[in-house]
Amino acid sequence: MPMPWFLLSLALGRSPVVLSLERLEGLQDAARCSPGLSCHLWDGDVVCLPGSIVSAPGPVLVPTSLQTELVRRCYQETDCDLCVRVAVHLAVHGHWEKPEDEEKLGRAADPEPEEPRNASLQAQVVLSFQAYPTARCVLLEVQVPAALVQPGQSVGSVVFDCFEAALGTEVQIWSYTQPRYQKELNLTRQLPDCRGLEVQDSIQSCRALPWLSVTADGDNVHLVLDVSEEQSFGLSLYWNQVQGPVKPWWHRNLTGPQTIPLNQTDIVPCLCVQVWPLEPDSVRTSICPFTEDPRAHRNLWRAARLQLLPPRGWRLDAPCSLHAQATLCWQAPGRGPCQPLVPPLPRENVTVNVSSWEKLQLQECLWADSLGPLKDDMLLVEARGPQDNRSFCALEPSGCTPLLSRASTRAARLGEQLLQDLHSGQCLQLWDDDLGALWACPMDKYIHQRWVLVWLACLLFAAALFLLFLLKKDHVKTAARGRAALLLYSADDAGFERLVGALASALCQVPLRVAVDLWSRRELSAQGPLAWFHAQRRRTVQEGGLVVLIFSPGAVALCREWLQDAGPAPGAHGPHDAFAASLSCVLPDFLQGRAPGRYVGAYFDGLLHADAVPALFRAVPVFPLPSQLPAFLGSLQGPRGPRPGRLGERAEQVARALQPALDSCLRPPGTAGMGRGMGPEAGDRT
């Protein structure tokens, strides 16, 4: 039996959560000031002429900020209008200038007491108000006594009562002085409608609004309007688009209580309801009850359609505006999902309201009929840089292989021939823009079916030579790359992951053979964090390497959770959290005394105090970074490491690589700046 669930219930008249507004009597506008100031409101409105900005001759009063408050202006007990009260905060701008003679000659030998330069300041402050179809400008004269005149200091505020406006409208307010000494202040505000204000009994247009609720029982969604039997009202359902006009979907004039069924699959985030009494000049009230509904977001993506328009166009059709990114991708026949181009071609944006409820993808194959039947072609990506620099890579299942590289792939082996084919016009251009192009080069002539036995004998001989070469190369390569190091950390946040990535990259240059889950996300997804850690730990220990535990606040919390509760709550960590999964194997090594010689610890200066590292893990060396980088690198490289002088140079290189990422983690939140129509996206970084 389906369980009833409650989506939303909104009262378009009185509601349990409303704002109570101050009541003003009469039609007369008024102004008042902060203590110590004097102000005067000019009679009648004035003409809004801001004029040009002029230089201040000395200290002047200027507006610094605007504040608004909603009040009721009432003419009778039950006859009120919504009114906007505006407060202008003022400050002293500018300084007294020193006379030129005083600057050149200095003070006289026998100076006499000077008259104080500070004097009272007076300003004419203009308030401009616009709310369709109304526009007004008022002038306030403000005087500040000399005792309050301090350059750069706030002196108080002046309050104007008030500008009348209609419910639910958008108002714009500007403030400046005459003459104008700086750019005018401006403020835009969306006024609430009858739903959010306690005005049911005092504003006449709000009295006739019906009570609207949206309820659901399983997949059955209903609009319920509770009104009197004789009341007539209009009801409209529409799609609220951020860009473009509103798309009406359903409209009816109704009378009396109504229950209107909605198909659950028709519910999308931008589906809104508008209701109004069928009376002259009635207030229309709109609500969009499904904006945060997960099922509505899923329905939106299911209703979206991606259409390709030859030769190089595409279009996304959806009931609501979306934030999405379209990217060119490639797919080998029978090789799984479409993979983003590497390097990516430039992105193009779509529209609004990105959905984080569910990651869905729409995919269409580019102009399949225009290229004829499938061929054994090689797809080349051309990237264009400054000064007409061009680079080419070939798309293969392992990634985009640069041409003329030493990789052991078909594209690398045929790199020179493919470039010759491209320059001689034998390749077909599929895409072209300012930053790159996409080419399809035929491979038929490189597929030989004759002389199979000769080729087989040559390949066997070459394989034997290649095996000997690999054995020798592997020996040299192992010695050159140094010891293996497995980094384990807790992904506290994106900044800390970047810091660990910087450390791993720097250690590769030492050189060390570094394994870290940041670089193995596909393996983590395929094997799971625990299996991945087992394999990496076994390989590291067998090769005589070290497991590095990088402690952070999150890692310390996980360790304490394990030590106190014998394991974390199921599902408490992400699918890629190798640190949380590894604790089930790491802790027994420490508890049973097997950790020395296999593990070392580290933490970053400024992010964690040394005393925060649990005592159990201090059985192995724990290094603060970057302050003890030489000792840390010496422990990782072992007894066969470089000379002390060389080790110090490498420590300085690692410290320089770490510092920007460490500074970013230590920087207080909010000090660095960080929203999307449609364009090609690089896709999953893993």
Side-chain angles (χ1 to χ4, degrees):
M1 178 179 181
M3 295 295 295
W5 56 279
F6 178 72
L7 279 179
L8 178 71
S9 180
L10 285 174
L12 299 187
R14 184 179 300 276
S15 171
V17 181
V18 292
L19 297 176
S20 180
L21 303 184
E22 180 182 341
R23 180 187 179 97
L24 302 179
E25 302 290 345
L27 299 174
Q28 190 68 32
D29 294 336
R32 65 181 187 275
C33 308
S34 301
L37 307 185
S38 61
C39 56
H40 169 69
L41 172 66
W42 278 34
D43 294 334
D45 290 357
V46 297
V47 179
C48 296
L49 293 174
S52 302
I53 297 177
V54 299
S55 300
V60 293
L61 285 179
V62 294
T64 57
S65 63
L66 296 173
Q67 286 184 314
T68 60
E69 180 185 359
L70 296 181
V71 296
R72 288 178 296 165
R73 169 170 281 174
C74 298
Y75 318 107
Q76 297 179 4
E77 182 66 26
T78 59
D79 185 10
C80 302
D81 285 325
L82 191 65
C83 213
V84 180
R85 170 183 289 164
V86 182
V88 185
H89 295 269
L90 302 170
V92 178
H93 172 74
H95 301 271
W96 294 107
E97 295 183 359
K98 289 186 177 182
E100 293 184 4
D101 294 342
E102 181 179 314
E103 293 180 358
K104 293 180 180 179
L105 302 177
R107 293 187 172 275
D110 186 17
E112 296 181 0
E114 295 182 355
E115 291 290 333
R117 288 203 181 111
N118 285 356
S120 63
L121 295 182
Q122 184 173 347
Q124 292 185 338
V125 180
V126 178
L127 279 177
S128 173
F129 179 87
Q130 290 188 9
Y132 182 82
T134 304
R136 292 187 60 191
C137 275
V138 298
L139 183 64
L140 306 167
E141 284 190 350
V142 185
Q143 187 166 3
V144 180
L148 296 180
V149 177
Q150 296 292 333
Q153 298 296 318
S154 174
V155 297
S157 61
V158 57
V159 179
F160 171 74
D161 283 329
C162 57
F163 295 113
E164 295 181 10
L167 289 159
T169 59
E170 181 182 85
V171 301
Q172 293 180 312
I173 305 170
W174 291 269
S175 178
Y176 53 90
T177 58
Q178 288 184 341
R180 188 160 62 98
Y181 302 111
Q182 64 180 20
K183 185 178 179 180
E184 62 267 21
L185 298 179
N186 66 81
L187 177 67
T188 300
R189 180 173 178 182
Q190 182 69 41
L191 300 186
D193 52 30
C194 299
R195 291 176 292 133
L197 301 173
E198 197 175 58
V199 294
Q200 176 77 5
D201 300 327
S202 58
I203 296 183
Q204 188 173 8
S205 59
C206 291
R207 297 175 193 167
L209 288 178
W211 181 288
L212 169 67
S213 63
V214 182
T215 60
D217 183 3
D219 290 338
N220 300 317
V221 182
H222 302 278
L223 295 177
V224 181
L225 293 104
D226 185 10
V227 299
S228 61
E229 293 288 345
E230 68 279 359
Q231 182 177 351
S232 297
F233 58 90
L235 180 70
S236 176
L237 301 179
Y238 64 94
W239 288 315
N240 185 30
Q241 295 276 1
V242 174
Q243 293 183 354
V246 170
K247 295 183 179 179
W249 178 45
W250 187 88
H251 170 79
R252 293 289 188 278
N253 290 334
L254 304 170
T255 301
Q258 298 287 334
T259 299
I260 301 169
L262 295 177
N263 191 334
Q264 193 273 336
T265 58
D266 293 334
I267 295 175
V268 291
C270 63
L271 180 61
C272 301
V273 185
Q274 188 177 77
V275 62
W276 66 96
L278 294 179
E279 299 174 357
D281 300 325
S282 61
V283 175
R284 294 194 175 205
T285 301
S286 298
I287 61 171
C288 301
F290 307 107
T291 304
E292 303 298 331
D293 185 356
R295 296 201 292 185
H297 283 266
R298 288 195 291 268
N299 290 339
L300 174 59
W301 277 105
R302 289 175 184 141
R305 294 293 179 267
L306 178 62
Q307 182 181 2
L308 296 171
L309 306 174
R312 296 186 180 93
W314 53 269
R315 183 177 65 200
L316 178 64
D317 295 321
C320 305
S321 298
L322 287 170
H323 249 332
Q325 287 183 322
T327 181
L328 287 178
C329 61
W330 74 283
Q331 183 181 38
R335 298 283 183 103
C338 198
Q339 303 179 37
L341 296 181
V342 181
L345 293 182
R347 300 176 179 176
E348 298 176 8
N349 292 329
V350 185
T351 358
V352 214
N353 293 342
V354 67
S355 172
S356 59
W357 301 93
E358 185 175 359
K359 184 177 180 181
L360 299 174
Q361 292 181 345
L362 303 175
Q363 178 179 315
E364 290 291 333
C365 291
L366 288 172
W367 325 299
D369 296 336
S370 65
L371 299 179
L374 289 176
K375 303 175 183 178
D376 189 14
D377 290 349
M378 182 69 70
L379 204 58
L380 302 185
V381 177
E382 175 187 354
R384 298 169 183 165
Q387 300 179 350
D388 201 26
N389 291 330
R390 301 187 179 194
S391 61
F392 295 89
C393 65
L395 291 173
E396 297 183 291
S398 59
C400 201
T401 305
L403 299 184
L404 305 180
S405 70
R406 297 182 179 180
S408 57
T409 65
R410 183 171 67 162
R413 291 193 302 270
L414 300 175
E416 292 185 3
Q417 293 92 322
L418 289 173
L419 283 178
Q420 292 175 1
D421 293 345
L422 182 66
H423 295 317
S424 62
Q426 299 182 40
C427 299
L428 175 65
Q429 188 178 72
L430 305 178
W431 188 275
D432 184 34
D433 58 31
D434 294 338
L435 297 180
L438 199 60
W439 301 85
C441 296
M443 300 290 291
D444 296 340
K445 63 181 179 180
Y446 301 113
I447 301 175
H448 302 286
Q449 298 180 354
R450 301 172 59 185
W451 308 99
V452 176
L453 295 178
V454 176
W455 275 109
L456 182 59
C458 294
L459 287 175
L460 289 175
F461 179 75
L465 292 178
F466 186 68
L467 181 59
L468 293 174
F469 174 76
L470 282 181
L471 292 175
K472 184 176 180 180
K473 181 180 179 182
D474 185 67
H475 175 74
V476 176
K477 186 176 180 180
T478 302
R481 288 193 301 170
R483 297 178 75 189
L486 171 60
L487 305 188
L488 295 180
Y489 70 100
S490 172
D492 291 4
D493 53 43
F496 190 79
E497 281 194 314
R498 286 192 293 271
L499 180 56
V500 173
L503 175 62
S505 299
L507 292 180
C508 288
Q509 306 299 321
V510 169
L512 291 167
R513 287 176 290 136
V514 178
V516 63
D517 63 350
L518 277 173
W519 301 341
S520 306
R521 288 289 167 83
R522 286 186 178 175
E523 296 177 25
L524 277 172
S525 298
Q527 302 174 13
L530 188 58
W532 179 87
F533 167 73
H534 271 298
Q536 296 296 328
R537 174 182 170 275
R538 182 172 60 253
R539 182 183 307 161
T540 301
V541 172
Q542 288 176 351
E543 295 176 1
L546 289 175
V547 179
V548 182
L549 302 177
I550 301 178
F551 291 98
S552 64
V556 170
L558 282 172
C559 293
R560 289 175 177 166
E561 183 180 356
W562 269 92
L563 292 171
Q564 294 173 1
D565 302 331
H573 308 289
H576 296 158
D577 197 340
F579 187 89
S582 67
L583 287 178
S584 62
C585 300
V586 171
L587 287 176
D589 286 345
F590 279 86
L591 292 172
Q592 298 172 15
R594 298 194 303 265
R598 296 182 178 183
Y599 294 81
V600 295
Y603 60 92
F604 294 102
D605 294 324
L607 297 183
L608 191 73
H609 194 272
D611 295 337
V613 178
L616 176 65
F617 296 96
R618 297 178 195 166
V620 299
V622 180
F623 302 95
L625 304 181
S627 59
Q628 291 189 15
L629 263 174
F632 176 68
L633 295 182
S635 178
L636 291 182
Q637 294 190 301
R640 297 185 180 180
R643 302 184 309 273
R646 179 62 175 162
L647 189 63
E649 294 176 2
R650 292 178 177 177
E652 291 180 1
Q653 294 174 0
V654 176
R656 286 195 297 269
L658 282 181
Q659 201 60 48
L662 182 58
D663 291 343
S664 178
C665 288
L666 295 174
R667 189 177 302 129
T671 59
M674 302 201 4
R676 311 185 204 172
M678 228 185 238
E681 177 185 8
D684 190 354
R685 288 166 38 190
T686 61

